[in-house]
Amino acid sequence: MIVEPHFMNDQTNIESIIVKYLNGTITADEHHELTPWLEQSSENQLVFDQMREIWLASEMAGGKFDFDFQAAFEQFKKKTASSKSIPQFHRSPFRRSVTISYRWAAVILLFIIVGGTVLFNFIRHKHSSSEEMMEYVTYNEVITGRGEIKTFYLPDSSKISLNANSIVKYPTVFNPTERYIELSGEAILEVKSDPDHPFVVKTKDTKVMVLGTVFDVKAYDEDNLMMVTVQSGSVSVEMNKAKMILAENDQFIFNKMSGDIGKITVDPQRVMSWIDRILYFNRTPLHEVVNMLNRYYPQLDLELAKGEYTSLISGEHDNKSAESVLTSIIYLTGVKCKKLNTKHILYQ
């Protein structure tokens, strides 16, 4: 028998929200609705766990057949409602172990309902290594364009705010050993604490590992500087021949041109102010400033002519026009600007 939850809202609506959570399309409002429902009772949490196991099984089916998750779950509830093959247990000191056995019995019953192919694939991959399992898990990819910022939640309820011209790739279901995502661009991550499952952010040059924290990773391919900034908690930044531990207010900097790495103290709130559409420069090289302006203003096509530029720019621009910020940059650095069709070219 499947456990029926104590619903705060309509049952169909909650199940729909859980499905969105599992496939990575849940909105912030829906996430705020799901969280208190999960905390309302252990039965609700069990229903969620059962649906997640079924979802994982469908992912591991390897595309052998057209799996209708919603229809399968409805059929599963009807079958288990009258089935005596799965006993109902009462509370006891062994409740946790009984619950685990109960869940697996329920999932196996579902496999019998929807077909033996799923069962075969699931058992085979359940006992394989986590690397092999990941081959059978589908991935979501979130992409932002110029001037665009997106906020979304991962399968573990961690929150990501993705800056302009960035890409995040993550599995619809995290593997049993770690929570792994890939990032190109910049993102603020609010990672849900889970000591048993480290959170890993892989960029082109580094691997950032955390347990639970709020931090910013800036790793654009076109930038010379790669940075990790910690607002709370701590993170480990690993490269081929180096490893650095960062605590609150620390910023890791990697210069791709020189190969130098370093750590400085910063104000994380200002570094992350881009989430509020604020441009913040802290001794930022002109090349990086040009890249930031191009990402921030979709209508701007800015190019830096070849040459050696030594200017380091500091300052903050709050929702100012592209023309206003560009005029300020020209004044501060002494560079000149010419317009060629729709392109602005800065030169010495």
Side-chain angles (χ1 to χ4, degrees):
M1 182 186 74
I2 191 167
V3 174
E4 291 295 338
H6 302 294
F7 288 103
M8 296 190 329
N9 299 345
D10 176 71
Q11 174 173 341
T12 303
N13 180 50
I14 287 294
E15 290 176 0
S16 175
I17 290 175
I18 294 175
V19 172
K20 288 183 179 181
Y21 175 90
L22 293 170
N23 66 24
T25 61
I26 191 171
T27 65
D29 289 341
E30 290 169 334
H31 193 275
H32 291 320
E33 187 175 354
L34 178 61
T35 300
W37 177 83
L38 286 172
E39 295 173 349
Q40 188 178 14
S41 70
S42 59
E43 286 78 10
N44 287 359
Q45 182 64 53
L46 181 55
V47 169
F48 176 83
D49 291 342
Q50 289 170 335
M51 291 183 71
R52 182 165 54 183
E53 295 292 354
I54 294 168
W55 185 271
L56 178 60
S58 70
E59 292 288 350
M60 291 185 177
K64 298 296 183 181
F65 68 104
D66 185 14
F67 186 89
D68 187 337
F69 172 82
Q70 198 67 47
F73 187 69
E74 290 300 322
Q75 186 180 9
F76 175 54
K77 289 193 295 183
K78 291 177 183 178
K79 290 283 186 181
T80 54
S82 59
S83 175
K84 297 181 180 179
S85 58
I86 303 177
Q88 181 173 354
F89 297 97
H90 299 285
R91 295 181 181 273
S92 73
F94 306 101
R95 179 180 176 82
R96 186 174 183 274
S97 61
V98 167
T99 299
I100 294 173
S101 301
Y102 172 76
R103 283 172 50 202
W104 281 111
V107 173
I108 291 172
L109 176 60
L110 171 72
F111 294 151
I112 295 172
I113 295 170
V114 299
T117 302
V118 184
L119 179 60
F120 173 77
N121 280 285
F122 182 75
I123 292 175
R124 182 181 62 181
H125 298 302
K126 183 68 181 177
H127 294 285
S128 63
S129 66
S130 50
E131 289 81 4
E132 291 173 329
M133 283 180 62
M134 292 303 289
E135 296 179 5
Y136 297 91
V137 176
T138 58
Y139 286 81
N140 290 327
E141 194 170 67
V142 180
I143 302 174
T144 53
R146 294 180 62 187
E148 185 180 22
I149 294 174
K150 289 182 180 179
T151 298
F152 57 98
Y153 291 87
L154 297 176
D156 67 335
S157 299
S158 294
K159 180 181 177 182
I160 293 187
S161 296
L162 195 61
N163 204 352
N165 274 21
S166 301
I167 302 174
V168 162
K169 182 179 179 182
Y170 64 94
T172 55
V173 179
F174 285 126
N175 76 38
T177 58
E178 67 180 11
R179 298 168 287 169
Y180 175 92
I181 71 169
E182 296 178 7
L183 170 67
S184 174
E186 183 172 16
I188 296 172
L189 300 99
E190 299 179 29
V191 176
K192 183 178 180 181
S193 179
D194 185 355
D196 295 328
H197 302 89
F199 192 99
V200 179
V201 182
K202 181 70 172 64
T203 74
K204 185 176 181 179
D205 300 294
T206 62
K207 183 168 72 172
V208 183
M209 298 186 65
V210 303
L211 296 179
T213 181
V214 178
F215 62 106
D216 180 282
V217 177
K218 187 177 183 182
Y220 287 101
D221 287 345
E222 65 269 22
D223 285 358
N224 292 332
L225 300 179
M226 182 271 171
M227 293 177 283
V228 179
T229 307
V230 178
Q231 178 177 312
S232 63
S234 62
V235 308
S236 167
V237 182
E238 297 182 12
M239 303 181 66
N240 288 337
K241 297 181 180 180
K243 180 177 180 180
M244 187 176 293
I245 304 298
L246 306 180
E248 184 175 331
N249 300 331
D250 283 343
Q251 183 179 72
F252 166 88
I253 302 176
F254 168 53
N255 189 316
K256 302 176 189 176
M257 299 295 289
S258 65
D260 294 337
I261 63 173
K263 181 170 69 173
I264 62 174
T265 300
V266 297
D267 181 354
Q269 295 287 351
R270 301 187 74 178
V271 173
M272 301 179 186
S273 60
W274 57 262
I275 192 67
D276 296 315
R277 302 284 179 178
I278 296 174
L279 279 170
Y280 171 68
F281 306 120
N282 181 23
R283 295 181 55 81
T284 307
L286 185 57
H287 173 79
E288 311 281 315
V289 171
V290 168
N291 289 340
M292 290 175 68
L293 294 179
N294 279 328
R295 291 191 290 260
Y296 190 88
Y297 297 106
Q299 73 276 21
L300 189 63
D301 190 0
L302 194 60
E303 181 180 308
L304 187 63
K306 290 183 178 180
E308 293 186 9
Y309 300 88
T310 58
S311 299
L312 299 176
I313 301 172
S314 296
E316 194 172 273
H317 300 272
D318 185 359
N319 293 315
K320 291 185 178 179
S321 67
E323 293 75 15
S324 174
V325 176
L326 184 57
T327 300
S328 176
I329 299 301
I330 292 171
Y331 174 78
L332 289 171
T333 61
V335 298
K336 298 179 180 180
C337 180
K338 64 180 178 181
K339 190 173 182 180
L340 183 62
N341 297 322
T342 60
K343 185 185 293 290
H344 290 82
I345 301 177
L346 298 181
Y347 64 99
Q348 305 213 61

